[in-house]
Amino acid sequence: MALSIGIVGLPNVGKSTLFTALTRKSGLAANYPFATIDPNVGIVDVPDARLQTLADIVNPGRIVPATVEFVDIAGLVKGANAGEGLGNQFLANIRETDAICQVVRYFSDPDVVHVEGRVDPASDVEIINTELILADLATLEKALPKLEKEAKRDKDNLSKLEIARKLEAWLNEGYRAAQMDMSDDEKIAAHDLFLLTMKPVLYVANTDEDGLKTELDMLDGQKPIAVCAEIEAELADLDPADAREYLDSLGLEKSGLETLAQEAYSLLGLQSYFTAGEMEVKAWTIPVGAKAPQAAGVIHSDFERGFIKAEVASFEDYVAYNGEAGCKNAGRLRMEGKDYVVQDGDIMHFRFNV
């Protein structure tokens, strides 16, 4: 599954520094607004210690983790919804992503200008959310006349019109669309509106070193992930052993970027199942609740179309019985059919007709 998360924020909050560390790809980091114009794209591994555990059992040729795509998008300013700054380009880029990672400045540095002239995380979040809300209201203003005509011609379209009107009233109250209680049917009807504020959001607090150990206030009802972009940039240049030593010296169990990648994966309602063999141990990304044929289809569409059965062992059993043969001997290797709901960490092998 190709998963894309847009890194957004006001200019000079550390987005590009974070992106560079996150992807180990050189995004342009500069001390002036709109240093990032075209979005940089990078693929990030989702850390999962289970992969190495499986590799220790089967000794594969390689380990392939799950991945998330991060997109470093141009900084946003007040008036972006009306085209200020790089507003139109910003909104077009963010519309293509599955979720939003909003970077908020917590660090103080007089040498790095703040576009609003002060460090105020809550205000920064309000500016960005307001711009996204205003952009969505403009989208609905254009969509409603068309929806009204379609509802008159076909009553089956009435649900789309009703949810659009409800969302317009909700957005006018200053709330993101994702914060409105909706039934499953309403969510389906709202999907085709392509609203920016329907996307799930992660808040990242870009702090200095001291801020990593400080309890941060909630932002927009969520606890932000504390990350020091400068430290993460230093970690990105170290080999694993030196990086571990550096984290230990800071009193940190894992890097902020490890937490971010894992939280992004969780935010999108995703989980991993594994395949394990001599060639590779690999994590495959599927939605929580996916059934066995859908999981097979992530490997190849032919696997889903011709699905017969899946051989399944839980991660815990696979480790406890030292691999597939041990699970089979212990009666812990199961045959599952089309209705099996895949569990996080399952080790799977598919049988299918070509």
Side-chain angles (χ1 to χ4, degrees):
M1 297 176 67
L3 309 166
S4 180
I5 297 181
I7 301 178
V8 305
L10 298 179
N12 296 341
V13 297
K15 290 188 304 83
S16 294
T17 301
L18 181 71
F19 176 85
T20 301
L22 188 66
T23 62
R24 301 192 180 188
K25 175 180 178 180
S26 295
L28 175 63
N31 183 24
Y32 52 89
F34 312 127
T36 305
I37 297 176
D38 295 323
N40 296 302
V41 179
I43 305 298
V44 180
D45 293 343
V46 178
D48 193 328
R50 295 174 298 182
L51 284 165
Q52 187 58 57
T53 301
L54 294 175
D56 291 341
I57 294 172
V58 301
N59 298 310
R62 62 177 181 168
I63 297 174
V64 184
T67 59
V68 175
E69 179 183 273
F70 282 90
V71 183
D72 181 21
I73 297 173
L76 176 148
V77 295
K78 283 182 180 178
N81 72 92
E84 290 295 321
L86 296 170
N88 292 331
Q89 188 168 340
F90 172 95
L91 297 172
N93 290 334
I94 200 173
R95 205 174 294 278
E96 301 301 317
T97 63
D98 298 305
I100 298 169
C101 172
Q102 194 173 137
V103 181
V104 184
R105 178 171 170 173
Y106 277 69
F107 68 89
S108 297
D109 186 341
D111 294 328
V112 179
V113 297
H114 188 291
V115 71
E116 293 293 318
R118 80 286 177 273
V119 177
D120 185 343
S123 177
D124 290 357
V125 167
E126 184 178 358
I127 289 172
I128 292 177
N129 285 343
T130 297
E131 293 304 319
L132 298 180
I133 287 169
L134 290 172
D136 281 348
L137 283 169
T139 297
L140 289 173
E141 184 179 358
K142 293 178 182 178
L144 279 168
K146 180 181 178 182
L147 291 172
E148 288 168 354
K149 290 179 182 178
E150 291 176 348
K152 288 179 180 178
R153 287 198 302 265
D154 186 347
K155 295 298 182 184
D156 289 341
N157 293 320
L158 191 59
S159 59
K160 289 184 180 180
L161 175 61
E162 290 175 347
I163 192 60
R165 286 172 173 168
K166 286 176 67 175
L167 282 166
E168 183 182 41
W170 180 258
L171 291 165
N172 271 315
E173 293 295 321
Y175 300 111
R176 291 186 294 111
Q179 294 171 312
M180 190 175 85
D181 288 333
M182 285 183 273
S183 67
D184 289 342
D185 287 342
E186 285 178 325
K187 288 178 182 178
I188 292 171
H191 180 267
D192 291 342
L193 296 171
F194 301 107
L195 300 181
L196 299 174
T197 61
M198 277 292 289
K199 297 179 185 291
V201 178
L202 277 174
Y203 292 100
V204 172
N206 187 13
T207 75
D208 51 28
E209 183 179 331
D210 292 337
L212 294 175
K213 300 175 183 178
T214 302
E215 189 70 23
L216 301 177
D217 292 335
M218 303 285 275
L219 288 175
D220 196 27
Q222 295 185 35
K223 186 176 178 61
I225 300 168
V227 173
C228 177
E230 287 191 357
I231 288 176
E232 300 299 333
E234 293 173 10
L235 285 168
D237 291 331
L238 300 175
D239 62 43
D242 288 340
R244 180 67 264 167
E245 184 177 341
Y246 185 26
L247 285 171
D248 289 341
S249 72
L250 296 171
L252 301 174
E253 291 185 9
K254 57 184 175 181
S255 73
L257 298 186
E258 285 184 86
T259 301
L260 175 56
Q262 291 168 341
E263 288 293 328
Y265 200 64
S266 176
L267 176 72
L268 293 170
L270 303 172
Q271 63 183 9
S272 293
Y273 77 87
F274 304 108
T275 51
E278 292 183 0
M279 182 179 296
E280 65 181 19
V281 166
K282 183 167 183 175
W284 300 89
T285 300
I286 56 172
V288 173
K291 293 184 178 181
Q294 185 180 355
V298 173
I299 298 177
H300 197 287
S301 58
D302 287 346
F303 285 24
E304 182 171 7
R305 283 194 296 268
F307 179 89
I308 301 173
K309 294 284 185 182
E311 294 180 354
V312 184
S314 70
F315 174 79
E316 292 75 17
D317 284 345
Y318 199 91
V319 174
Y321 296 103
N322 200 38
E324 182 178 330
C327 285
K328 186 178 291 185
N329 291 335
R332 306 299 291 181
L333 188 65
R334 313 186 308 274
M335 296 298 295
E336 300 287 0
K338 292 182 177 181
D339 292 331
Y340 175 67
V341 177
V342 180
Q343 302 300 302
D344 184 53
D346 278 351
I347 290 83
M348 306 186 74
H349 177 75
F350 299 103
R351 295 183 182 181
F352 64 98
N353 286 319
V354 178

